[in-house]
Amino acid sequence: RFAAAPADVGLLDAANLAWAALTPAQRAVDPDSLAADPSLWPVEVTATTGINSQWGRLPEGTAVGLLAVTNRGAEVAWPNSPNRLNVNFGSTDLIARARQLALVAPEKRPSRIAAALQGIMVDADGRPYRDEHLGDKKYFALYFGAGWCAPCHTFSPALVKFLDEALPKHPELAAVFLSDDKALPPMFAYMKQERMPMPAVPPQAVNGSSLLLGYASQMIPQLVIVDRFGRVLATSDDNHGNRIDPADTVAALGKLLAGQTSM
């Protein structure tokens, strides 16, 4: 490596050409606007340089899941672990990917939640569950629970009753059971016992998705309502000591679907 003045290597000309090729919407993508608009967040990003952390080194070119963005950088998932890492904008291709998404109308940008769920859901008989319209859903009800959890058995009948009525009337809503069971048979038994009108994500798949796992709290039952890009609209536990009755979150979802609140 050696140092060179920008004028000696044509760097400024190349940068100006790249900037001129961007649309106004792409030029508007900066740390502040990106942090405020999750619709511009891709599902994953690629490391543009080697990244060192306490868990090892992430080689250049490694694809990692994108969890969150602030105006200081991004939070990404460390591969094959529950660990999360904060990186600066220059460490990944986040800005470049966001600028590509800026070319797409907001309502047509791909759903981060649908991308995380598609391919890992199953029905109560263990058959793969695939919803061809999942990417069109506006709201997602994520129910974290387990068959071994007594409070879950107390809560789930009210949730099932609400969903039995709401899902046929609101095609913009999807509901998913994210299981904390220790094995599949108890999960299937719980789904059948409660007659859940929704698919499930098995515990191993939940633990393998940093995006979905990021919504889980330390206590179940937990109900989280998110939009298609992953913004939390209502939750029974925000992981900051603020916990409410999950039934209140069901009520909040009802108001949201009725258009009584913008959440």
Side-chain angles (χ1 to χ4, degrees):
R1 301 185 180 190
F2 62 93
D8 293 336
V9 294
L11 175 61
L12 187 58
D13 290 339
N16 284 331
L17 284 173
W19 183 255
L22 299 177
T23 67
Q26 289 177 306
R27 293 178 187 179
V29 175
D30 62 16
D32 288 332
S33 65
L34 188 53
D37 188 358
S39 75
L40 292 172
W41 302 359
V43 175
E44 65 178 22
V45 293
T46 300
T48 54
T49 184
I51 301 174
N52 295 314
S53 80
Q54 64 190 86
W55 307 293
R57 179 174 175 80
L58 199 65
E60 178 181 349
T62 303
V64 292
L66 177 66
L67 302 177
V69 180
T70 70
N71 59 7
R72 297 181 301 277
E75 184 179 53
V76 300
W78 193 261
N80 304 313
S81 84
N83 299 319
R84 306 156 79 96
L85 179 68
N86 292 314
V87 298
N88 59 47
F89 287 107
S91 299
T92 73
D93 63 350
L94 171 58
I95 294 290
R97 292 198 185 206
R99 283 178 171 159
Q100 288 303 306
L101 287 172
L103 296 174
V104 181
E107 67 275 9
K108 295 183 179 180
R109 291 171 189 165
S111 167
R112 283 167 48 82
I113 301 301
L117 290 171
Q118 203 69 276
I120 62 173
M121 296 182 293
V122 297
D123 64 17
D125 293 315
R127 294 173 300 208
Y129 181 94
R130 189 171 184 85
D131 184 346
E132 298 300 332
H133 301 287
L134 196 65
D136 300 326
K137 302 297 182 181
K138 187 176 180 181
Y139 306 115
F140 293 82
L142 307 178
Y143 169 46
F144 292 87
W148 53 261
C149 165
C152 295
H153 283 274
T154 300
F155 164 68
S156 53
L159 175 63
V160 167
K161 180 180 178 181
F162 174 87
L163 293 175
D164 280 339
E165 297 176 358
L167 288 173
K169 298 177 183 177
H170 295 279
E172 73 275 24
L173 172 67
V176 184
F177 168 46
L178 295 104
S179 174
D180 193 35
D181 285 291
K182 308 307 179 185
L184 292 179
M187 181 188 82
F188 296 138
Y190 178 43
M191 295 175 70
K192 291 177 179 178
Q193 178 182 351
E194 300 296 342
R195 298 183 179 180
M196 293 185 183
M198 55 186 170
V201 176
Q204 185 175 3
V206 174
N207 292 331
S209 171
S210 298
L211 179 59
L212 297 176
L213 199 60
Y215 295 110
S217 69
Q218 297 300 312
M219 298 179 65
I220 54 175
Q222 181 195 10
L223 182 63
V224 186
I225 311 303
V226 299
D227 71 5
R228 60 197 306 270
F229 301 117
R231 286 173 286 216
V232 176
L233 305 177
T235 179
S236 58
D237 194 327
D238 65 0
N239 278 318
H240 296 291
N242 300 311
R243 182 169 177 82
I244 65 172
D245 188 330
D248 292 339
T249 308
V250 174
L253 175 57
K255 292 180 179 179
L256 177 65
L257 295 174
Q260 298 178 21
T261 175
S262 61
M263 302 299 290

